[in-house]
Amino acid sequence: MSSEIDQKDPDGFPSDDAIRNILSKRVGKQTGLAIAIGVIKDSQRRVFAHGQLSRHDTRTPNENTVFEVGSITKVFTAMVLADMVKNGEASLGDAVQDYLPPGVCVPRRNGRIITLVDLCTHMSGLPRMPSNFAQQAKDSADPYSTYTVDHLYQFLATHELARDIGSAFEYSNLGAGLLGHALSRRAGVDYATLVQNKISIPLGLDSTAVALSPDQGKRLAPGHNATFEPTAYWNLGEAFAGAGALRSTVNDQLTLLEFMLEERQSSFNFSVHDLLAVRRDTRTPALSMALGWMVHSTRNGDVVAHEGATAGFRAFVGFSREKKFGLVVLSNAAREVGDIGMHLLDPSISLKTPSKQRQEISLPPSTLNTYKGRYRLRPEFILTITTEDNRLFAQATGQSKAEIYAESEHFFFSKIVDAQFTFEIGVDGTAILLTLHQNGRDIPGTRIEE
């Protein structure tokens, strides 16, 4: 798709009409989808919003509407780490083992220990999720709420690293959660209090928190899945809080961006340079990992950004130091908005075509049973397909199972994330291949013989 931005300010900053046009096209007439965008340049803020909060709540979000921001939390965890390093409370090279209770074992490999900077840059060798997560996720609507620190310790004690620490980038919610927990233990407070004391209060973020006040709770938008049905809020316990527990607003995220653009004074001892000076190769072209931030090298300079996702929300925060402006996109539905953020920061990056609204059909149990099995998409990533009460479920390695829905006989979709599944049937009438369609990629997986 060609660039949508054909209207700019003289300095190249997207015009109001260009942003409104993108919002209008993305939301359309869909209820249960509301998107708010905030932009900042030279300390001047502009906020745009489109859509309504739900089918029964016709309000449009504003700069003070609270959203779950998911993995944007990892940026705050990195800022806490930078602050503690500058204050002499921690060092990037400290072993995370030293921050945990006596007797808790953290895996090591070839004499190398996992350090705080390994966790913060996703170079620890730990997987995306712990292998015991699925069995502890008692509530599929709020899967993280029942996974405890003790469960985390149990996983760490038995896990064997598949690769050398520091040898390869692997995005890890587990690693970020462990980092947040370790820093909280060192500070002697829970993660919610740690972020409040270290970041939110010093920076003046009055609506960024894990546990919301009554006033903040009244401003919390309802979440929706990928088919715009209501979802439960996520409650991440201490084991995963540092990976994705925060809620926030456009206004607060613009304040964060002011700091990152060095246009806002703070009482922090650390600087933006401390966050961005650390770089790790992700083995993805033009993408490196700083402390908490991903750095995209584009034809028009670096774009520093992070995205977030929960069951019913999507978030994007990013900025360009060269262009000296930043942008936040918050949505209350499980539909991608990161492409909007990247496109507005660098129009050479095209917008994606939004997924179509999908229609569910019913299939007989005999058809669903032909899809049951385990499919290997990568050496360490297996999708397990099961049936229960004449429904089909998919479960990725280390994750809880989730129902998938038929759109045609061999094509299924998820309502939790924007992902689809195609099954290929063999001569014996059972599936031999599953292809996962997600994030613009088609990933085939062959059936594993039991």
Side-chain angles (χ1 to χ4, degrees):
M1 181 182 294
S2 61
S3 173
E4 292 283 339
I5 297 181
D6 52 9
Q7 296 171 303
K8 303 177 184 178
D9 290 347
D11 58 1
F13 193 65
S15 71
D16 292 3
D17 286 344
I19 295 172
R20 291 192 183 101
N21 182 50
I22 290 172
L23 272 176
S24 178
K25 288 183 177 181
R26 183 58 58 93
V27 175
K29 297 180 180 179
Q30 181 60 54
T31 58
L33 171 59
I35 302 176
I37 293 179
V39 294
I40 188 163
K41 184 174 177 62
D42 299 326
S43 298
Q44 298 298 310
R45 302 182 178 201
R46 290 186 280 171
V47 177
F48 309 85
H50 198 82
Q52 63 185 59
L53 292 178
S54 73
R55 291 188 177 98
H56 308 293
D57 187 342
T58 60
R59 291 177 299 166
T60 299
N62 59 36
E63 65 273 18
N64 294 314
T65 301
V66 177
F67 296 79
E68 292 183 345
V69 296
S71 288
I72 305 300
T73 305
K74 294 179 175 72
V75 170
F76 285 76
T77 303
M79 293 173 70
V80 168
L81 173 60
D83 184 74
M84 293 179 72
V85 168
K86 282 296 185 180
N87 290 338
E89 302 168 83
S91 294
L92 292 180
D94 283 351
V96 67
Q97 175 85 62
D98 296 340
Y99 287 57
L100 303 179
V104 174
C105 296
V106 175
R108 58 180 64 199
R109 183 180 167 99
N110 291 335
R112 174 84 149 76
I113 58 174
I114 295 175
T115 66
L116 302 183
V117 71
D118 292 328
L119 294 173
C120 197
T121 57
H122 303 283
M123 301 291 287
S124 68
L126 292 171
R128 187 181 188 94
M129 296 291 291
S131 58
N132 65 346
F133 180 80
Q135 68 194 72
Q136 305 301 339
K138 309 300 184 185
D139 183 356
S140 60
D142 189 13
Y144 291 87
S145 61
T146 53
Y147 192 88
T148 67
V149 168
D150 285 340
H151 296 140
L152 173 61
Y153 291 168
Q154 291 165 12
F155 168 80
L156 292 173
T158 58
H159 181 69
E160 294 186 8
L161 297 175
R163 65 176 65 86
D164 287 348
I165 299 164
S167 65
F169 174 90
E170 181 178 1
Y171 189 87
S172 177
N173 289 317
L174 162 63
L178 176 57
L179 176 61
H181 171 61
L183 296 177
S184 299
R185 278 191 50 81
R186 175 55 59 96
V189 296
D190 62 18
Y191 182 80
T193 304
L194 183 68
V195 170
Q196 198 72 13
N197 291 344
K198 292 283 190 182
I199 308 299
S200 294
I201 292 174
L203 205 53
L205 309 180
D206 58 13
S207 295
T208 298
V210 174
L212 300 180
S213 69
D215 172 67
Q216 293 164 346
K218 291 177 183 177
R219 293 185 276 120
L220 178 61
H224 301 84
N225 64 22
T227 55
F228 309 110
E229 298 170 343
T231 63
Y233 298 116
W234 273 4
N235 298 283
L236 283 72
E238 281 298 300
F240 276 99
L246 286 175
R247 286 86 180 238
S248 190
T249 64
V250 166
N251 243 351
D252 275 7
Q253 293 302 304
L254 289 176
T255 299
L256 169 68
L257 287 170
E258 272 189 319
F259 169 75
M260 294 304 301
L261 291 168
E262 300 179 287
E263 295 175 354
R264 185 181 186 88
Q265 297 296 316
S266 77
S267 59
F268 298 143
N269 289 324
F270 71 93
S271 67
V272 174
H273 174 79
D274 294 319
L275 294 170
L276 301 183
V278 175
R279 297 291 177 93
R280 296 292 185 268
D281 180 19
T282 67
R283 298 189 179 181
T284 296
L287 179 66
S288 60
M289 187 75 214
L291 290 184
W293 291 97
M294 294 185 177
V295 184
H296 304 258
S297 298
T298 77
R299 68 182 68 173
N300 296 315
D302 285 349
V303 171
V304 183
H306 210 299
E307 295 186 46
T310 64
F313 295 84
R314 294 294 184 268
F316 172 93
V317 177
F319 60 95
S320 166
R321 301 185 80 187
E322 287 84 359
K323 296 180 181 179
K324 299 187 183 301
F325 76 84
L327 180 139
V328 54
V329 188
L330 301 181
S331 169
N332 72 332
R335 290 295 186 101
E336 183 177 0
V337 297
D339 64 313
I340 296 176
M342 292 298 293
H343 179 68
L344 289 173
L345 286 166
D346 185 348
S348 70
I349 300 173
S350 297
L351 288 168
K352 296 180 180 179
T353 301
S355 298
K356 69 174 185 177
Q357 184 71 20
R358 302 195 177 276
Q359 299 297 320
E360 177 186 351
I361 65 170
S362 296
L363 293 177
S366 58
T367 300
L368 298 181
N369 286 332
T370 65
Y371 303 131
K372 291 194 300 184
R374 300 170 72 234
Y375 302 82
R376 189 183 300 278
L377 282 75
R378 294 194 301 269
E380 74 288 355
F381 185 75
I382 293 172
L383 273 178
T384 301
I385 305 298
T386 57
T387 59
E388 182 179 325
D389 298 329
N390 297 331
R391 297 182 295 164
L392 201 66
F393 291 83
Q395 183 172 5
T397 300
Q399 299 182 29
S400 56
K401 69 179 182 181
E403 187 172 2
I404 59 176
Y405 304 83
E407 187 172 53
S408 64
E409 183 176 356
H410 304 310
F411 186 85
F412 290 72
F413 63 94
S414 169
K415 293 183 179 181
I416 298 176
V417 296
D418 188 8
Q420 299 80 43
F421 311 81
T422 301
F423 293 93
E424 184 176 321
I425 306 301
V427 293
D428 65 351
T430 61
I432 59 173
L433 183 75
L434 176 154
T435 300
L436 170 65
H437 312 282
Q438 190 173 20
N439 298 327
R441 300 175 61 197
D442 301 315
I443 308 172
T446 55
R447 188 190 191 105
I448 302 171
E449 295 299 329
E450 301 295 339

